[in-house]
């Protein structure tokens, strides 16, 4: 199987690419290395690996290469509401125009796995599932929903509506909520937490990688659908997350009433029943994930370039 991973030098891609190579797939990454990362260099020794330095906004590059692959895993994106808000023109160009460039070059037979987000739902009261009508509140959520619609307008696509990601990855991100909380607890011994009762679901990057492998293995039964990717077991309020971290790190916390409003208003519970019915379950619980973060951040020396916004 020949797989093209767009944005493969990013947070998810740098964990996913070696997992695909371990299956002896032929894997090609296309990435513009916008964060200056060089974390895929070790794979060039692998004859099944190749790299294209390029941008999905460049139609000529996409037209030249997309046709050569059985599967396109589309990760390239301006990720997160803050990053999209900071540069909305770039966000639209990458998240909408870039996605359109890819889809326009696909044949009916090619498989597209599209990375989306739970932010497409917007503000939620109660527990939602994939049948809920999306109502994104941020540019990021709107971008991802538009990408989903383009992807699912063709037969052989799957959209992944991820919970809040966290965990260590070769292209580390420190702007993800659990990662940010653990790092500050270790380094500053102090956290200021707003909206402590706000609830969301977390998923470790290892389980994100596993979800891609699972969907590839079951593509005939899952194609044409959007799936929430996560687990009800990993749904916590911010206060519950802080208390979990306190089991591993000694630090002070101050709970404040209001901070900068979350543009996605992420305070919700999500059903993952549809995902479970495909035979997939997450393996990393929050305790294990926090332990990993504590171990890793205790020796982390460099902090620059580990976020999606400057």
């Amino acid at each position: 199987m020949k797989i093209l991973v767009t944005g493969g030098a990013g947070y998810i891609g740098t964990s996913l690419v070696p997992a695909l190579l371990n299956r002896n797939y032929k894997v090609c990454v296309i990435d513009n290395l916008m964060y200056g990362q060089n974390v895929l260099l070790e794979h060039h020794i692998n004859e099944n690996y190749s790299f294209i330095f390029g941008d999905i906004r460049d139609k000529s590059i996409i037209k030249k290469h997309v046709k050569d692959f059985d599967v396109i895993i589309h990760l390239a994106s301006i990720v997160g509401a803050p990053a999209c808000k900071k540069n909305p023109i770039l966000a639209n160009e990458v998240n909408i125009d870039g996605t359109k460039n890819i889809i326009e070059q696909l044949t009916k037979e090619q498989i597209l796995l599209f990375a989306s987000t739970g932010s497409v739902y917007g503000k939620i009261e109660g527990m939602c599932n994939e049948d809920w009508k999306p109502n994104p509140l941020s540019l990021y959520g709107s971008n991802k929903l538009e990408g989903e619609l383009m992807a699912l307008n063709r037969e052989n696509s799957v959209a992944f509506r991820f919970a809040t990601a966290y965990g260590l990855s070769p292209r580390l991100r420190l702007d993800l909520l659990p990662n940010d909380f653990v790092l500050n607890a270790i380094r500053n011994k102090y956290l200021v937490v707003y909206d402590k009762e706000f609830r969301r679901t977390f998923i470790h990057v290892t389980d994100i990688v596993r979800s891609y492998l699972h969907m590839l293995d079951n593509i005939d039964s899952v194609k044409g659908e959007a799936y929430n990717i996560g687990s009800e077991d990993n749904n916590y309020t911010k206060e519950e997350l802080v208390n979990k971290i306190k089991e591993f790190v000694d630090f002070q916390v101050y709970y404040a009433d209001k901070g900068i409003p979350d543009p996605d208003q992420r305070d919700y519970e999500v059903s993952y029943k549809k995902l479970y019915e495909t035979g997939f379950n997450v393996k990393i619980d929050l305790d294990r994930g926090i332990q990993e973060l504590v171990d890793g951040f205790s020796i982390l020396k460099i902090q620059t370039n580990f976020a999606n916004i400057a």
Side-chain angles (χ1 to χ4, degrees):
M1 184 181 292
K2 299 175 67 176
I3 300 176
L4 177 66
V5 184
T6 72
Y11 177 68
I12 294 173
T14 50
S15 290
L16 177 59
V17 166
L20 297 171
L21 290 171
N22 284 341
R23 287 190 163 199
N24 292 318
Y25 296 144
K26 293 187 179 297
V27 180
C28 178
V29 169
I30 181 169
D31 202 296
N32 65 4
L33 303 178
M34 66 181 293
Y35 299 108
Q37 64 272 48
N38 57 14
V39 288
L40 292 175
L41 292 177
E42 65 182 286
H43 301 303
H44 285 274
I45 195 66
N46 190 324
E47 62 183 9
N48 286 333
Y49 173 79
S50 59
F51 182 87
I52 300 167
F53 179 73
D55 195 306
I56 61 170
R57 294 174 292 174
D58 188 333
K59 290 184 178 181
S60 63
I61 290 179
I62 297 302
K63 184 176 182 179
K64 179 180 179 181
H65 294 288
V66 163
K67 66 181 185 296
D68 298 328
F69 297 91
D70 305 304
V71 177
I72 289 79
I73 298 179
H74 182 29
L75 300 175
S77 180
I78 304 301
V79 177
C84 290
K85 182 179 180 180
K86 180 179 180 181
N87 197 334
I89 294 176
L90 178 64
N92 281 308
E93 288 178 351
V94 175
N95 298 348
I96 303 302
D97 299 339
T99 299
K100 184 177 180 182
N101 287 343
I102 293 167
I103 291 175
E104 286 180 344
Q105 298 303 319
L106 295 177
T107 65
K108 291 182 179 179
E109 292 75 24
Q110 288 175 295
I111 295 167
L112 174 65
L113 304 184
F114 178 78
S116 187
T117 172
S119 294
V120 300
Y121 289 115
K123 186 175 177 59
I124 297 170
E125 294 183 4
M127 181 175 286
C128 76
N129 59 32
E130 292 86 348
D131 293 331
W132 281 48
K133 183 178 179 180
N135 183 32
L137 301 175
S138 68
L139 177 61
Y140 174 56
S142 297
N143 277 177
K144 284 301 186 181
L145 179 59
E146 189 168 346
E148 267 196 31
L149 295 174
M150 286 190 284
L152 295 177
N153 194 38
R154 59 184 304 278
E155 184 175 344
N156 286 326
S157 296
V158 179
F160 295 64
R161 293 177 178 172
F162 289 115
T164 298
Y166 77 104
L168 300 182
S169 170
R171 210 302 271 186
L172 186 58
R173 282 181 59 189
L174 299 181
D175 55 320
L176 300 166
L177 186 66
N179 295 4
D180 175 61
F181 276 14
V182 172
L183 182 66
N184 279 283
I186 291 173
R187 292 201 165 173
N188 302 327
K189 303 296 182 182
Y190 185 77
L191 276 181
V192 177
V193 178
Y194 299 97
D195 302 313
K196 67 178 183 179
E197 75 283 358
F198 276 28
R199 178 178 293 277
R200 69 173 82 168
T201 306
F202 304 102
I203 182 168
H204 194 275
V205 65
T206 297
D207 282 321
I208 290 177
V209 169
R210 290 182 55 250
S211 75
Y212 276 106
L213 302 180
H214 174 78
M215 292 304 188
L216 283 174
D217 290 342
N218 296 276
I219 191 63
D220 288 338
S221 61
V222 300
K223 63 186 181 182
E225 299 284 342
Y227 291 86
N228 296 326
I229 309 294
S231 169
E232 288 99 335
D233 293 338
N234 287 335
N235 186 269
Y236 293 88
T237 65
K238 288 185 179 180
E239 183 177 23
E240 289 169 342
L241 172 61
V242 168
N243 289 337
K244 280 284 187 183
I245 298 171
K246 276 184 166 290
E247 295 176 12
F248 299 86
V249 183
D250 183 24
F251 65 97
Q252 300 296 314
V253 59
Y254 173 74
Y255 291 108
D257 291 333
K258 295 292 180 182
I260 299 174
D262 180 354
D264 288 316
Q265 297 191 36
R266 289 168 293 182
D267 175 21
Y268 47 63
E269 292 186 77
V270 177
S271 169
Y272 299 96
K273 180 181 178 181
K274 184 176 178 181
L275 177 65
Y276 299 156
E277 289 175 346
T278 71
F280 183 85
N281 288 283
V282 304
K283 290 187 174 180
I284 309 296
D285 60 24
L286 197 60
D287 291 285
R288 185 176 172 192
I290 291 173
Q291 181 67 70
E292 176 208 42
L293 292 174
V294 171
D295 292 344
F297 289 161
S298 295
I299 60 173
L300 183 68
K301 302 301 182 184
I302 300 174
Q303 192 170 334
T304 57
N305 297 327
F306 291 149
N308 277 9
I309 52 174

